[in-house]
Amino acid sequence: MHLRRTSLALSILCGFSLASSAQAAGTLHFANWSDYYPPELLKKFEADTGIKATLDAYDSNETLLAKLKAGGGSYDVVVPSDSFIEIMVKEDLLQKFDKSKLPNLANLKPTFKELRFDPGHDYSVPYLWGTTGYSYDSTQVPGGKLEESWKSFFEPPAELKGKVVALNSIEEVYIPAAFYLGVDQCTEDPKVALQIQEVLLKQKPMLAMYNSDGTIERMAAGEVAMHEQWNGAFHRAHAQRSTLTYVYPKEGINVFIDNLVIPKDATNVAEAHTFINWMMQPENIAAASNFAKYNNAIEGSDKFMDKELFDDPAINTPADKLERLKPFKLCSPKALSLRSKVWTKLKK
């Protein structure tokens, strides 16, 4: 969730409105997380296919969900995270693929051929994937080093008050808090949900803000000392500020998979299939990886990817940290309802 995202509200070429009328054939209206897709790659798509393409941006899965509920006819392809695919399918917000138009599904790496949130890839195919941990600036934290634990993030040193940022998404704060407490992120027990809520409410006064945009710029400029962050965003910030450290908390770290999907009300469905199939070509998805600094799910893409990605332990997880990676877990409606109540309380 996205990295994966920065403050740049990207809108290139002809941008569009949710309320706009049906678009002409031969066009594609693509929406993605901010700063998560290379503009030059969209121009290559236009050159390769003759399809006119535009790109809009959003800052969270929750924002995307709300827009689709309001009427997503202006979007032909969007990029929700794994945790929102099931929600969108149940709410009839996505349409099934015509797999005869997606021959490049054969290019998926074995690990990604069957995913729990969409086993048959009926509605989604992977875009990029990564982890959600946190980073800190060694020059700003006491002693220059913090414990590899969520404790350092949820109970930061007093000196860091007002210098810590959490992502502005319930799943991105609730799940790590559950890891920290050693409880089930999909708990249906209100008492356990209250324990998670207490951790988040206790942390809140220490935070500068909840914000999923600007994570790269904020850390690169040294504006804050610690930031919950996606690993790709960390890589880009670290390239500008060498004193940053990415943490794989010992209690566990969430692995996310962002996905290409077609909204139920998409106008240019044929073009959407063309785009998704095109993105599953190794050289094209590799260009997205090189830009956003996240890994992808396509066989053969490695040979087109920058070597620096494989050299960074934040991107290429060290062997002794692999057991800390926690894949996406489907939660029941009851569990998600509890999670939503915690978020509502937190954001009051």
Side-chain angles (χ1 to χ4, degrees):
M1 337 253 50
H2 218 64
L3 131 188
R4 196 154 79 139
R5 301 108 173 165
T6 74
S7 61
L8 176 62
L10 185 60
S11 182
I12 65 171
L13 301 176
C14 297
F16 60 94
S17 165
L18 278 170
S20 63
S21 58
Q23 305 294 332
T27 60
L28 175 88
H29 298 291
F30 178 37
N32 201 344
W33 298 79
S34 300
D35 202 24
Y36 197 29
Y37 192 89
E40 62 273 14
L41 186 59
L42 207 59
K43 293 177 182 177
K44 180 177 185 289
F45 170 72
E46 290 184 319
D48 287 354
T49 66
I51 296 171
K52 174 74 173 175
T54 65
L55 177 62
D56 199 9
Y58 49 86
D59 63 357
S60 71
N61 283 300
E62 290 84 1
T63 298
L64 175 61
L65 180 63
K67 288 184 176 181
L68 293 185
K69 284 183 175 181
S74 291
Y75 292 159
D76 299 313
V77 177
V78 295
V79 188
S81 301
D82 42 19
S83 55
F84 273 68
I85 298 296
E86 184 187 36
I87 294 171
M88 291 177 177
V89 170
K90 285 185 175 180
E91 297 199 20
D92 197 30
L93 296 173
L94 305 180
Q95 61 177 273
K96 275 193 171 184
F97 291 143
D98 178 351
K99 293 182 186 176
S100 69
K101 297 179 180 178
L102 300 176
N104 286 336
L105 277 170
N107 292 340
L108 287 176
K109 294 177 180 178
T111 305
F112 296 89
K113 284 190 178 294
E114 186 169 321
L115 299 170
R116 283 183 289 179
F117 57 87
D118 185 16
H121 293 295
D122 292 326
Y123 298 92
S124 65
V125 297
Y127 173 54
L128 301 177
W129 67 272
T131 58
T132 307
Y134 67 90
S135 65
Y136 65 84
D137 186 346
S138 63
T139 64
Q140 297 191 55
V141 303
K145 189 173 184 180
L146 297 175
E147 181 184 4
E148 290 186 348
S149 168
W150 282 113
K151 179 179 177 64
S152 299
F153 177 69
F154 288 115
E155 299 181 35
E159 297 92 328
L160 299 188
K161 185 173 183 178
K163 297 181 179 180
V164 180
V165 181
L167 294 173
N168 190 32
S169 169
I170 177 56
E171 65 186 56
E172 301 289 28
V173 295
Y174 188 97
I175 294 173
F179 290 161
Y180 174 43
L181 292 173
V183 300
D184 184 5
Q185 63 173 282
C186 291
T187 183
E188 296 183 352
D189 186 341
K191 292 181 180 179
V192 176
L194 278 175
Q195 292 175 0
I196 295 172
Q197 178 176 291
E198 287 172 6
V199 168
L200 297 175
L201 287 174
K202 183 179 178 181
Q203 180 202 35
K204 188 175 180 179
M206 298 295 292
L207 298 177
M209 67 187 85
Y210 293 96
N211 201 328
S212 297
D213 281 343
T215 72
I216 299 169
E217 294 89 346
R218 214 170 280 123
M219 288 303 289
E223 292 177 10
V224 295
M226 184 188 303
H227 210 309
E228 188 179 16
Q229 199 167 37
W230 300 285
N231 61 329
F234 164 80
H235 178 93
R236 295 168 73 177
H238 185 244
Q240 302 173 60
R241 194 176 189 88
S242 63
T243 54
L244 303 184
T245 297
Y246 186 74
V247 179
Y248 287 91
K250 62 185 180 182
E251 299 90 351
I253 183 170
N254 194 46
V255 176
F256 66 81
I257 303 174
D258 290 327
N259 303 270
L260 298 163
V261 304
I262 303 175
K264 184 75 172 183
D265 298 328
T267 302
N268 305 298
V269 177
E271 289 82 359
H273 281 85
T274 297
F275 177 72
I276 292 173
N277 192 62
W278 185 86
M279 282 303 302
M280 287 189 284
Q281 294 176 17
E283 64 274 21
N284 295 331
I285 195 64
S289 283
N290 290 337
F291 173 82
K293 310 304 180 186
Y294 292 90
N295 222 319
N296 66 73
I298 299 300
E299 200 77 71
S301 62
D302 293 9
K303 65 182 180 181
F304 298 101
M305 289 169 62
D306 295 339
K307 183 178 180 295
E308 66 181 46
L309 295 178
F310 303 101
D311 293 340
D312 184 354
I315 306 298
N316 190 18
T317 306
D320 63 345
K321 303 285 197 304
L322 288 173
E323 63 181 16
R324 300 182 184 185
L325 303 183
K326 305 295 183 183
F328 167 71
K329 186 176 181 181
L330 288 172
C331 297
S332 68
K334 184 176 180 180
L336 293 175
S337 177
L338 282 176
R339 188 181 292 185
S340 180
K341 289 177 181 177
V342 170
W343 184 242
T344 300
K345 177 72 173 179
L346 185 65
K347 296 304 289 290
K348 279 185 178 179

